[in-house]
Amino acid sequence: MGDMANNSVAYSGVKNSLKEANHDGDFGITLTELRALMELRSTDALRKIQESYGDVYGICTKLKTSPNEGLSGNPADLERREAVFGKNFIPPKKPKTFLQLVWEALQDVTLIILEIAAIVSLGLSFYQPPEGDNTLCGEVSVGEEEGEGETGWIEGAAILLSVVCVVLVTAFNDWSKEKQFRGLQSRIEQEQKFTVIRGGQVIQIPVADITVGDIAQVKYGDLLPADGILIQGNDLKIDESSLTGESDHVKKSLDKDPLLLSGTHVMEGSGRMVVTAVGINSQTGIIFTLLGAGGEEEEKKDEKKKEKKNKKQDGAIENRNKAKAQDGAAMEMQPLKSEEGGDGDEKDKKKANLPKKEKSVLQGKLTKLAVQIGKAGLLMSAITVIILVLYFVIDTFWVQKRPWLAECTPIYIQYFVKFFIIGVTVLVVAVPEGLPLAVTISLAYSVKKMMKDNNLVRHLDACETMGNATAICSDKTGTLTMNRMTVVQAYINEKHYKKVPEPEAIPPNTLSYLVTGISVNCAYTSKILPPEKEGGLPRHVGNKTECALLGLLLDLKRDYQDVRNEIPEEALYKVYTFNSVRKSMSTVLKNSDGSYRIFSKGASEIILKKCFKILSANGEAKVFRPRDRDDIVKTVIEPMASEGLRTICLAFRDFPAGEPEPEWDNENDIVTGLTCIAVVGIEDPVRPEVPDAIKKCQRAGITVRMVTGDNINTARAIATKCGILHPGEDFLCLEGKDFNRRIRNEKGEIEQERIDKIWPKLRVLARSSPTDKHTLVKGIIDSTVSEQRQVVAVTGDGTNDGPALKKADVGFAMGIAGTDVAKEASDIILTDDNFTSIVKAVMWGRNVYDSISKFLQFQLTVNVVAVIVAFTGACITQDSPLKAVQMLWVNLIMDTLASLALATEPPTESLLLRKPYGRNKPLISRTMMKNILGHAFYQLVVVFTLLFAGEKFFDIDSGRNAPLHAPPSEHYTIVFNTFVLMQLFNEINARKIHGERNVFEGIFNNAIFCTIVLGTFVVQLISTIPTSRLKFLKEAGHGTQKEEIPEEELAEDVEEIDHAERELRRGQILWFRGLNRIQTQMDVVNAFQSGSSIQGALRRQPSIASQHHDVTNISTPTHVVFSSSTASTTVGYSSGECIS
């Protein structure tokens, strides 16, 4: 790697030759050749590059790009490259069509039962019993008006219509949810940018714009967007598990393994690569194509499989075969972002391979409740059917001693079907169909609103789980603090400066070490840019700690960019990049005389232990003993840390020219014997809103723990400022190594009992590694010390935080500072990196839980009342007072609207005044049970009073004990209306579930709720107005001639008709008549004119008012008189039957 600088000079001529070469039109390497090259691994790939192209610079030449300047950025050149090598876009898998979603919605068990019942009801409604003497077959209302006898189909059709409504609503919900996530995904992708060099400038471009020939800069935490070959690397290590399934990190270098593959993660180091394959031609793209992603790629699938088979036969690539065998599994383990959003199948596969997270708290409780309700409903419906059948059989064949006649069989079957439908009605009422919808609506609504509160929810259930969180393990930097780092104190030349000194106060050689060391030993991607707005603060780009050090140089009136121009990144001889194990970064420079100088920076106590010398007051190096180190720790580092400052030590070491070249891979021998230049104290102020947010969490029963890589004194100071620690409290602050010592036994194994002794009191874990964070999270989750299983939320931004984020119940990734890897592992992305947004997530989570509880309270009251009414009514009157269609109106339509109304209640601060519910607390609290049973009792008293005494109150016909085909009655309509209006007012009561007195509080804050309650009331009103009241509807079916009957004759008719109707039938006739109205009218006219068979005509009239409207075409009024024989015949049938 030492000759890297020379290489860059040797190839500086490429750029000029490119300008001429660009006119040739063709590249010196084909797409197929590049794909074949990227199929190879390590030494095979290296051999192939050396044999065919010389080295990576040879490939750059053939691709007409400069390894230092990159592509020119000329639009015509970029277009041509896209045409030849493809675009960096993998078409996502086709989303499910609306019809597929409809089919999925139809699989619901409740809906299937309803569908079967509806079809049975529909089929039987078209069966007409044979005419004849039916008196021996029991009470059957037959011989109804033509057309009206056929209205039995309405019930079945209405049930089917209700099912269709529910299915369409559910499918539409799923469809819009998928669309929303795809939109979200495309937004994430558009925002995802990558650093490339074009025209000698380092710029960030959208991932989709990367093309073959681009020179891309890769750094720690990146998710590689394309395949490429390494040009220059600093200690680069890649996690290729997403392609190979191997969890070990692969070291990449020019002389061993220079191939970088898309979809893999940079775990350490940095470097530059030339892009060789993009989109569907990259390794990830090929796998996606095999998995069938992207519609247009389907046809190419077989072709590519054959192509891959041929390649597999090549004996030189055994390693690749091994990787191939695991491609499928690996692919599913870590899908690329382009697929993440809506691809259900891929996600399912992914979930199948990863250890599954257990069900969220609410999911678990709802599943349990649904099973319990289902069993109870099934039992009630079975008992109802059995009682009805036994009652009918005993009454008909035992009490009335009727024989079973063959011609009566169809009528008996109709009775049994009626009983079955009543049973299904009870079941329908018992199962809360609105519940899944309420959950979906509530979660979808919350997710949408949480976007405004800077929470980008990636997994729906995380939103609800957050409401039950009992512990939050938070990072310090950027989450609790502002991540706006500045150097405020320094220890230079044995003097402690409480503020940044003037450059004149520092000896020139010390200043020179300081400027060079900071400039070259900070990542070149970290820089300070001028403010976006005039008067604003300068913009920090890259690592914030490094930006603070670069800011120190600017305060010392020195420019780091001059040094970087003099020593470009390619000239750096060796870089030991920062990682969580080293907690330091070192850079080696080779001097012109053959000597080497290494600059180091890192955690002060770690670097100071490696320092054997220190720059004295006059700028000369002097011996630095352990005793001196202890003095600095006590007098400088601890005071700085106690003020909440992060302390960084800067040091250097020279390797003389005459000595043999050191073994650079032996890092421990290189980074030792250092000379300390300075110790600086970096301030990262606590976010002003954080202390209040933490106070809210603590009041809400959530323990906040800080897990940081910082010094324990700094961590303790910040934790005190935030309110995590309070003076005088007995809480633990531990360092990572101390924590590990306490939780491991003699064999070095972690013991849960040991963790259980520590975590309840632990508040700060300092100098911790990502492994410590994962251990702590796992330990808290697996603990059985407390009654409730702890629900843990974790924040993370680094690549190594992935395991902890995945293990946690809810993983929060930082949207600004977070790496791609952390975002992939998370459930929610904090778009502003702010702790207060986590508190908002808790509020929304609790609100979801409460919304579902509110809906349950409402739904179960409806269910309890309806089941008891249907059951009792059926057993006593042989018919359910609430018909299947009415129940579906209540259960499916009203409840769907109620779920929307109650699920869209906005959260309030009062949600944070209670402790988390926990996993074991029942979904229905005592207060809710009291409300449900209290309301149910009140409603049952009202309904039963109306059912058994309503006809006396309102002076109407009784609807009880109606015959088989009797139409609905006024009596039962009153019962139904009262029932629905009681539910409507109970919906307002259901808004409060914690025993609050004022149920109207904040009702006008929810416009959706008010609209739905009023809308439901209006629809209910309209749906139950009899058609006799809607004259304009009645007249629409009449002829053009209209003559009124004289009033005195009408009065006479009324009396007779009323008497006859009461005698003939108790139930009120169906108030809608269909298209047969004109035929009926002609029948009535003929009957009056002939004066015979008057009962047949009269029987068809539902009421006095309709009688008046029906008889309109009579030109000569005719007086009608009953003969005594007719009257006696009529009176003889007390059952209400009329035999013509």
Side-chain angles (χ1 to χ4, degrees):
M1 283 175 93
D3 57 354
M4 194 54 74
N6 303 336
N7 283 337
S8 62
V9 176
Y11 286 93
S12 60
V14 173
K15 188 176 159 197
N16 299 329
S17 62
L18 287 186
K19 289 180 182 171
E20 296 147 29
N22 276 344
H23 298 294
D24 300 345
D26 293 320
F27 297 98
I29 188 167
T30 66
L31 175 62
T32 316
E33 285 170 355
L34 283 173
R35 263 181 65 159
L37 174 61
M38 297 314 291
E39 289 278 349
L40 303 173
R41 283 294 171 274
S42 57
T43 48
D44 299 326
L46 204 59
R47 197 179 309 121
K48 174 76 174 168
I49 291 170
Q50 286 163 354
E51 285 170 9
S52 305
Y53 314 105
D55 56 14
V56 65
Y57 296 98
I59 293 176
C60 288
T61 309
K62 287 184 182 293
L63 285 173
K64 301 178 182 173
T65 185
S66 160
N68 295 323
E69 304 282 322
L71 297 175
S72 63
N74 175 11
D77 178 42
L78 296 176
E79 271 177 41
R80 195 160 56 88
R81 286 173 188 275
E82 270 185 26
V84 176
F85 298 110
K87 192 170 167 59
N88 195 24
F89 173 70
I90 299 171
K93 198 172 170 209
K94 279 184 178 173
K96 285 178 182 165
T97 63
F98 188 70
L99 286 175
Q100 283 174 312
L101 292 170
V102 165
W103 176 247
E104 280 179 15
L106 279 167
Q107 310 301 310
D108 188 278
V109 181
T110 317
L111 294 181
I112 291 169
I113 295 171
L114 281 175
E115 287 155 22
I116 293 167
I119 290 163
V120 170
S121 169
L122 206 57
L124 288 164
S125 68
F126 294 112
Y127 171 78
Q128 292 298 319
E131 292 184 13
D133 188 4
N134 291 324
T135 52
L136 298 172
C137 299
E139 297 180 2
V140 185
S141 176
V142 292
E144 295 173 7
E145 171 199 342
E146 287 175 42
E148 207 161 77
E150 293 163 18
T151 53
W153 64 268
I154 289 174
E155 186 166 51
I159 295 174
L160 281 180
L161 187 66
S162 304
V163 169
V164 167
C165 283
V166 173
V167 166
L168 289 177
V169 167
T170 310
F172 179 74
N173 236 353
D174 289 346
W175 177 78
S176 57
K177 190 170 75 186
E178 186 154 313
K179 190 179 167 196
Q180 184 185 352
F181 271 104
R182 280 187 178 261
L184 198 68
Q185 196 50 42
S186 62
R187 226 184 81 188
I188 290 172
E189 278 167 17
Q190 283 159 14
E191 286 173 6
Q192 194 187 355
K193 296 194 170 174
F194 209 77
T195 309
V196 298
I197 302 169
R198 282 192 181 169
Q201 296 294 311
V202 177
I203 57 167
Q204 285 203 320
I205 60 169
V207 165
D209 292 349
I210 292 173
T211 187
V212 171
D214 260 323
I215 305 299
Q217 284 194 345
V218 298
K219 63 182 187 306
Y220 161 83
D222 280 344
L223 179 75
L224 296 184
D227 292 354
I229 300 172
L230 193 65
I231 297 174
Q232 176 256 328
N234 301 322
D235 201 23
L236 198 59
K237 286 182 186 169
I238 307 283
D239 173 10
E240 293 190 345
S241 61
S242 56
L243 285 179
T244 63
E246 298 291 337
S247 57
D248 292 341
H249 298 167
V250 182
K251 193 165 184 184
K252 297 288 178 181
S253 62
L254 286 173
D255 51 356
K256 284 186 185 155
D257 184 0
L259 297 194
L260 301 174
L261 304 173
S262 60
T264 59
H265 297 121
V266 182
M267 303 307 282
E268 269 186 46
S270 61
R272 279 183 299 134
M273 70 172 187
V274 57
V275 175
T276 53
V278 292
I280 55 169
N281 298 309
S282 66
Q283 289 306 294
T284 306
I286 290 168
I287 293 163
F288 268 100
T289 308
L290 287 172
L291 289 172
E296 69 231 47
E297 303 308 318
E298 292 289 324
E299 308 114 36
K300 301 180 191 173
K301 206 168 163 183
D302 297 333
E303 209 179 295
K304 285 189 177 157
K305 274 189 181 167
K306 281 177 199 161
E307 190 179 318
K308 285 199 104 133
K309 252 186 205 165
N310 297 340
K311 283 175 185 158
K312 280 193 180 183
Q313 285 161 7
D314 185 346
I317 50 171
E318 288 169 9
N319 293 345
R320 182 60 186 148
N321 288 347
K322 182 183 170 193
K324 279 273 170 60
Q326 295 161 331
D327 270 353
M331 196 40 257
E332 294 140 19
M333 278 168 64
Q334 299 214 358
L336 272 189
K337 287 206 164 186
S338 59
E339 171 263 326
E340 183 64 51
D343 299 1
D345 290 355
E346 295 302 336
K347 283 201 144 180
D348 292 345
K349 287 181 190 169
K350 175 183 169 187
K351 281 179 186 161
N353 277 277
L354 288 169
K356 285 186 181 175
K357 279 191 181 180
E358 57 187 288
K359 275 185 180 175
S360 76
V361 182
L362 186 63
Q363 277 175 328
K365 289 181 179 179
L366 284 177
T367 307
K368 197 173 165 187
L369 185 72
V371 169
Q372 288 170 343
I373 291 175
K375 285 178 182 172
L378 206 58
L379 187 69
M380 289 292 279
S381 64
I383 293 172
T384 308
V385 174
I386 292 165
I387 289 175
L388 284 170
V389 171
L390 287 175
Y391 184 98
F392 173 76
V393 170
I394 292 167
D395 183 57
T396 308
F397 304 115
W398 187 266
V399 178
Q400 298 181 29
K401 295 187 168 46
R402 295 177 191 267
W404 183 296
L405 301 173
E407 60 267 26
C408 290
T409 305
I411 289 172
Y412 293 149
I413 288 172
Q414 285 199 322
Y415 264 109
F416 293 140
V417 168
K418 176 189 173 187
F419 299 152
F420 173 71
I421 286 177
I422 291 169
V424 172
T425 306
V426 172
L427 181 62
V428 166
V429 171
V431 180
E433 289 84 7
L435 198 54
L437 198 63
V439 175
T440 311
I441 289 171
S442 185
L443 286 174
Y445 174 77
S446 300
V447 165
K448 208 170 179 183
K449 291 287 185 184
M450 282 170 79
M451 282 285 287
K452 291 179 183 169
D453 285 336
N454 304 309
N455 283 282
L456 180 67
V457 181
R458 293 178 73 245
H459 301 134
L460 265 182
D461 59 349
C463 164
E464 169 267 314
T465 308
M466 203 52 217
N468 283 290
T470 55
I472 298 173
C473 294
S474 173
D475 277 353
K476 175 181 77 71
T477 309
T479 312
L480 300 173
T481 60
M482 291 174 76
N483 206 12
R484 175 92 202 170
M485 305 235 188
T486 43
V487 174
V488 290
Q489 293 187 27
Y491 179 81
I492 304 173
N493 299 120
E494 299 186 303
K495 186 172 181 189
H496 187 174
Y497 295 93
K498 290 286 184 179
K499 59 180 187 177
V500 177
E502 292 298 317
E504 296 77 32
I506 303 171
N509 65 330
T510 305
L511 195 57
S512 168
Y513 288 133
L514 207 55
V515 172
T516 311
I518 290 174
S519 301
V520 300
N521 195 32
C522 286
Y524 278 42
T525 48
S526 298
K527 41 184 170 283
I528 296 178
L529 300 178
E532 283 178 337
K533 290 177 186 166
E534 224 176 302
L537 292 166
R539 281 180 297 146
H540 288 188
V541 178
N543 182 293
K544 298 296 188 282
T545 307
E546 292 183 338
C547 287
L549 294 171
L550 295 173
L552 171 66
L553 295 188
L554 298 178
D555 290 343
L556 292 170
K557 316 283 190 296
R558 297 292 182 273
D559 189 2
Y560 65 88
Q561 198 57 53
D562 293 343
V563 179
R564 287 183 174 183
N565 293 341
E566 196 181 315
I567 310 171
E569 195 172 6
E570 306 81 58
L572 304 179
Y573 190 77
K574 171 81 177 166
V575 179
Y576 301 96
T577 52
F578 179 89
N579 66 28
S580 55
V581 179
R582 285 192 187 113
K583 294 201 185 298
S584 67
M585 175 179 175
S586 305
T587 301
V588 181
L589 297 179
K590 186 175 183 180
N591 300 322
S592 52
D593 62 356
S595 63
Y596 300 96
R597 176 172 285 169
I598 181 169
F599 286 102
S600 274
K601 73 167 193 298
S604 52
E605 59 267 45
I606 291 171
I607 296 291
L608 277 178
K609 279 179 186 167
K610 297 176 180 179
C611 288
F612 292 177
K613 291 181 182 177
I614 188 166
L615 295 179
S616 61
N618 60 4
E620 299 299 320
K622 71 169 200 175
V623 178
F624 187 58
R625 298 183 187 84
R627 190 179 63 247
D628 301 329
R629 184 172 65 240
D630 294 342
D631 286 344
I632 287 185
V633 168
K634 283 197 181 91
T635 60
V636 178
I637 294 173
E638 284 182 3
M640 280 186 186
S642 63
E643 291 177 42
L645 304 185
R646 169 181 283 188
T647 55
I648 301 287
C649 180
L650 305 163
F652 76 97
R653 179 186 177 184
D654 283 327
F655 294 90
E659 295 177 5
E661 188 171 341
E663 183 62 52
W664 296 113
D665 286 339
N666 193 348
E667 188 187 335
N668 291 336
D669 290 346
I670 303 294
V671 187
T672 188
L674 304 174
T675 303
C676 174
I677 305 169
V679 174
V680 295
I682 297 175
E683 184 183 43
D684 186 9
V686 170
R687 288 179 182 268
E689 64 274 23
V690 162
D692 189 41
I694 286 177
K695 201 180 284 176
K696 282 179 186 171
C697 280
Q698 289 165 343
R699 199 169 57 217
I702 301 166
T703 306
V704 181
R705 292 180 176 85
M706 182 201 286
V707 183
T708 178
D710 250 350
N711 174 309
I712 189 158
N713 294 318
T714 308
R716 192 185 279 116
I718 296 287
T720 308
K721 283 182 186 175
C722 291
I724 292 173
L725 291 175
H726 298 286
E729 284 185 341
D730 181 25
F731 287 135
L732 280 177
C733 295
L734 293 179
E735 282 196 340
K737 62 173 188 287
D738 195 19
F739 173 71
N740 271 296
R741 187 174 49 75
R742 291 197 188 196
I743 63 169
R744 293 176 193 273
N745 59 19
E746 298 73 30
K747 295 176 188 171
E749 296 162 346
I750 295 169
E751 287 185 355
Q752 184 62 43
E753 299 79 44
R754 287 170 181 253
I755 297 178
D756 288 345
K757 286 176 187 169
I758 292 172
W759 75 258
K761 287 193 170 184
L762 183 68
R763 290 295 177 273
V764 175
L765 186 58
R767 284 279 177 253
S768 66
S769 68
T771 319
D772 297 337
K773 189 190 263 190
H774 181 260
T775 307
L776 176 65
V777 171
K778 186 176 184 301
I780 296 175
I781 288 175
D782 294 346
S783 175
T784 52
V785 174
S786 51
E787 292 172 31
Q788 305 279 0
R789 133 93 154 91
Q790 294 282 305
V791 178
V792 184
V794 168
T795 68
D797 55 5
T799 301
N800 292 336
D801 287 330
L805 289 169
K806 266 199 161 63
K807 178 65 189 169
D809 294 287
V810 182
F812 285 91
M814 301 299 146
I816 301 165
T819 60
D820 295 341
V821 184
K823 289 175 188 173
E824 287 266 317
S826 68
D827 299 296
I828 298 176
I829 296 172
L830 293 177
T831 53
D832 64 346
D833 289 13
N834 195 335
F835 185 83
T836 49
S837 300
I838 301 176
V839 181
K840 297 256 179 67
V842 172
M843 267 172 68
W844 276 108
R846 291 187 174 192
N847 193 55
V848 167
Y849 199 97
D850 277 11
S851 294
I852 303 305
S853 296
K854 288 172 188 177
F855 177 70
L856 264 177
Q857 180 175 304
F858 171 73
Q859 170 90 64
L860 292 179
T861 310
V862 179
N863 290 10
V864 167
V865 175
V867 167
I868 294 174
V869 168
F871 175 74
T872 315
C875 294
I876 295 173
T877 69
Q878 282 200 64
D879 188 12
S880 170
L882 301 168
K883 300 289 182 287
V885 177
Q886 294 173 335
M887 286 322 309
L888 285 170
W889 157 244
V890 171
N891 220 37
L892 299 176
I893 312 304
M894 251 185 77
D895 290 357
T896 301
L897 295 172
S899 66
L900 186 61
L902 292 168
T904 52
E905 287 272 318
T908 58
E909 288 281 334
S910 62
L911 289 165
L912 295 174
L913 298 176
R914 63 168 176 79
K915 300 281 183 275
Y917 283 134
R919 285 182 171 266
N920 306 331
K921 192 167 190 279
L923 201 55
I924 299 164
S925 65
R926 284 183 181 177
T927 310
M928 285 170 65
M929 188 60 81
K930 182 186 74 181
N931 291 346
I932 290 168
L933 295 177
H935 276 287
F937 178 74
Y938 151 71
Q939 290 184 18
L940 285 170
V941 168
V942 174
V943 169
F944 283 140
T945 305
L946 287 175
L947 185 61
F948 296 110
E951 70 273 24
K952 292 171 188 164
F953 294 146
F954 298 103
D955 194 22
I956 49 171
D957 298 334
S958 169
R960 294 189 305 280
N961 298 320
L964 184 61
H965 285 296
S969 60
E970 273 184 15
H971 181 196
Y972 276 13
T973 304
I974 288 172
V975 172
F976 173 57
N977 262 337
T978 308
F979 175 71
V980 170
L981 289 175
M982 284 195 294
Q983 305 320 323
L984 209 53
F985 284 99
N986 190 30
E987 202 169 320
I988 297 170
N989 292 327
R991 290 183 66 248
K992 304 292 177 188
I993 53 170
H994 298 296
E996 298 94 331
R997 296 266 179 230
N998 183 7
V999 292
F1000 294 101
E1001 187 191 345
I1003 194 166
F1004 295 114
N1005 295 343
N1006 189 354
I1008 298 174
F1009 183 88
C1010 299
T1011 310
I1012 284 171
V1013 169
L1014 286 171
T1016 312
F1017 178 74
V1018 170
V1019 173
Q1020 178 65 22
L1021 210 63
I1022 293 168
S1023 67
T1024 50
I1025 294 175
T1027 28
S1028 57
R1029 300 280 183 272
L1030 305 172
K1031 294 188 179 182
F1032 65 93
L1033 289 177
K1034 306 264 310 182
E1035 287 166 4
H1038 287 243
T1040 49
Q1041 298 179 339
K1042 292 187 182 178
E1043 291 188 16
E1044 295 293 329
I1045 302 175
E1047 280 182 25
E1048 63 278 5
E1049 291 181 12
L1050 182 62
E1052 220 172 302
D1053 291 344
V1054 164
E1055 200 178 310
E1056 292 160 358
I1057 292 163
D1058 196 35
H1059 168 71
E1061 184 169 323
R1062 266 206 309 274
E1063 286 297 293
L1064 289 171
R1065 147 175 322 176
R1066 289 180 181 176
Q1068 181 198 18
I1069 200 89
L1070 276 167
W1071 47 266
F1072 50 98
R1073 298 219 172 242
L1075 296 169
N1076 299 70
R1077 180 67 72 190
I1078 296 167
Q1079 179 62 47
T1080 311
Q1081 173 192 318
M1082 296 310 295
D1083 286 353
V1084 174
V1085 172
N1086 293 337
F1088 269 80
Q1089 285 176 340
S1090 63
S1092 62
S1093 190
I1094 192 71
Q1095 298 103 318
L1098 292 181
R1099 192 175 57 242
R1100 294 188 180 103
Q1101 309 313 312
S1103 65
I1104 304 157
S1106 63
Q1107 172 72 17
H1108 169 67
H1109 280 287
D1110 278 344
V1111 189
T1112 51
N1113 282 353
I1114 304 172
S1115 48
T1116 313
T1118 310
H1119 197 74
V1120 184
V1121 182
F1122 283 105
S1123 67
S1124 57
S1125 62
T1126 312
S1128 62
T1129 310
T1130 309
V1131 173
Y1133 287 90
S1134 60
S1135 68
E1137 292 175 34
C1138 182
I1139 311 299
S1140 302

